[in-house]
Amino acid sequence: MSKKVIVTGVAGFIGSHLCEALLDDGFDVVGIDCFTSNYDVRIKKHNISRCLENTNFTLIEESLNTLDFTELVEGTDYVFHQAAQPGVRDSWQKKFDEYVDSNIRATHRLCEAFRGHNLKRLVYAGSSSVYGETAELPMSESHPTRPLSPYGVTKLAGEALCLLYKQNYGLPVISLRYFTVFGPRQRADMAFHKFIKNALHGQPIEIYGSGTQTRDFTFVSDIVDANLRAMDYGGDESVFNIGGGARITLNSVLDLLLDALPGETDVRYCDTIKGDVSHTYADITLARDQLGYAPKANLEESIHSEVEWIRSLRGTVPGY
Ligand code: UGA
């Protein structure tokens, strides 16, 4: 009998890629997504079109905050909790309620639903935003967690909830702290997506700050690989950094992006945005040693694949 897997946030950037990989590996996947309108829902529908063609896939369109889990918990082997209200810069003021509902309350509800049900693994989509500003690079998992954004606070709270259910109830939790993920289906609020879309339409690109900030950019296929490795991990560690293995300034990565795009693009430098950290760089020693994780993506080639994906939205999604 094939194993039953749940992917929350299945129509999102990472959830949809992960779901395809699990279906390709022969799992039965129940995908949950409430299609929040943080960006054009047509992109989310597009993301899961391949999954919907697979008879081993079932889609549940509902919020984790209202869903009745009673039947779902029976016979489920693995849960990949990718659903979240994402985005660092948008998490201030009134929006914070949405972050609390999606990242804390929903995670708490999921943990409550699955405790005591013989789950083999719950993988939580953690975030590098839990670290905040740091003088110590690369950051290891033991680095202090002092988020700089309200979003980071909610991702840290979600992770802490998962870990306390592990400690108290034996819920088999692993948190993977993702570092700025990119590639086809990247969210519309994220830098590469905005830059490529604007450049293709002759619109200016806005850089927040001087462009000297650095990021450890991680290609989405490496993130999927880390999730699959976390499924069968037999060791004692619970929290892993998952990065791309290098860091680069925003200015340098912008040069690579512009090389991959036609024509001239106007680049404008603007004020920094509150919540944005100056640098991220993952120490991935633990993931390497314990999970056998080794990022494989080449930055230039991976950028091209995101450019091609954005081009492919033309004619399907208005504005592309
Ligand atoms: C990303 C994700 O959006 C978060 O959801 C995730 O939790 C986080 O990574 C993480 O590592 O945990 P971020 O690093 O801000 O956050 O990713 P991008 O939106 O791709 O931004 C990268 C850099 O580009 C930032 O310095 C940002 O200020 C800059 N940026 C972004 C611009 O200069 N202009 C823009 O229009 C957008």
Side-chain angles (χ1 to χ4, degrees):
M1 214 173 72
S2 78
K3 299 226 168 85
K4 197 172 127 195
V5 180
I6 290 179
V7 178
T8 73
V10 73
F13 168 32
I14 298 167
S16 61
H17 281 288
L18 177 59
C19 185
E20 283 177 6
L22 289 162
L23 290 168
D24 287 347
D25 283 352
F27 290 99
D28 281 333
V29 183
V30 174
I32 305 172
D33 207 296
C34 62
F35 293 88
T36 53
S37 57
N38 55 333
Y39 56 94
D40 197 319
V41 167
R42 278 167 289 206
I43 296 183
K44 298 185 182 187
K45 299 271 179 195
H46 199 247
N47 288 346
I48 49 160
S49 52
R50 223 191 103 201
C51 297
L52 285 167
E53 286 166 10
N54 192 310
T55 50
N56 294 333
F57 178 68
T58 309
L59 175 65
I60 299 178
E61 287 193 44
E62 198 169 335
S63 162
L64 295 174
N65 281 322
T66 52
L67 186 65
D68 180 352
F69 285 99
T70 317
E71 282 180 23
L72 271 178
V73 293
E74 299 305 332
T76 293
D77 298 292
Y78 303 95
V79 175
F80 293 90
H81 182 31
Q82 308 298 306
Q85 180 64 33
V88 177
R89 295 171 288 280
D90 216 16
S91 58
W92 301 99
Q93 299 163 343
K94 278 193 190 151
K95 278 266 193 172
F96 185 62
D97 288 347
E98 288 172 34
Y99 284 78
V100 170
D101 282 345
S102 302
N103 301 352
I104 304 179
R105 290 209 176 91
T107 301
H108 176 252
R109 216 165 167 262
L110 195 72
C111 289
E112 272 294 324
F114 280 93
R115 74 176 164 92
H117 280 278
N118 293 323
L119 198 63
K120 294 190 173 70
R121 175 73 70 217
L122 189 157
V123 183
Y124 174 78
S127 163
S128 80
S129 63
V130 300
Y131 294 115
E133 288 291 23
T134 169
E136 189 189 306
L137 294 167
M139 313 119 134
S140 74
E141 291 80 357
S142 58
H143 189 282
T145 47
R146 294 192 198 107
L148 190 67
S149 62
Y151 163 77
V153 168
T154 62
K155 288 304 288 180
L156 182 58
E159 182 185 272
L161 278 166
C162 289
L163 295 175
L164 74 82
Y165 274 81
K166 178 173 192 170
Q167 218 179 345
N168 287 275
Y169 295 104
L171 197 66
V173 165
I174 280 187
S175 175
L176 302 178
R177 291 180 177 166
Y178 305 157
F179 281 65
T180 313
V181 189
F182 75 102
R185 304 182 191 160
Q186 191 192 40
R187 295 191 332 261
D189 61 293
M190 292 185 72
F192 288 10
H193 186 130
K194 288 171 72 183
F195 295 171
I196 297 166
K197 183 183 175 206
N198 284 14
L200 289 175
H201 289 86
Q203 306 279 329
I205 283 175
E206 289 190 339
I207 299 285
Y208 305 140
S210 62
T212 54
Q213 62 264 50
T214 57
R215 287 287 179 279
D216 183 340
F217 291 102
T218 314
F219 191 54
V220 65
S221 62
D222 286 324
I223 294 288
V224 168
D225 176 62
N227 274 275
L228 300 180
R229 288 172 184 279
M231 281 178 102
D232 300 320
Y233 172 62
D236 296 333
E237 300 293 340
S238 305
V239 178
F240 297 95
N241 284 339
I242 304 296
R247 76 181 169 119
I248 181 168
T249 65
L250 194 57
N251 282 330
S252 301
V253 88
L254 180 63
D255 286 344
L256 294 176
L257 272 168
L258 294 178
D259 284 349
L261 292 161
E264 290 292 305
T265 304
D266 181 13
V267 178
R268 296 181 186 166
Y269 286 83
C270 319
D271 290 342
T272 52
I273 305 233
K274 286 205 190 309
D276 263 340
V277 297
S278 309
H279 305 288
T280 67
Y281 183 23
D283 180 342
I284 52 170
T285 311
L286 195 67
R288 243 185 238 285
D289 292 350
Q290 298 285 315
L291 302 176
Y293 169 74
K296 291 181 188 62
N298 165 285
L299 188 58
E300 283 92 333
E301 284 171 18
S302 309
I303 284 173
H304 275 278
S305 71
E306 183 161 345
V307 171
E308 285 318 305
W309 172 71
I310 296 214
R311 281 204 166 106
S312 78
L313 295 176
R314 194 172 295 163
T316 308
V317 183
Y320 281 81

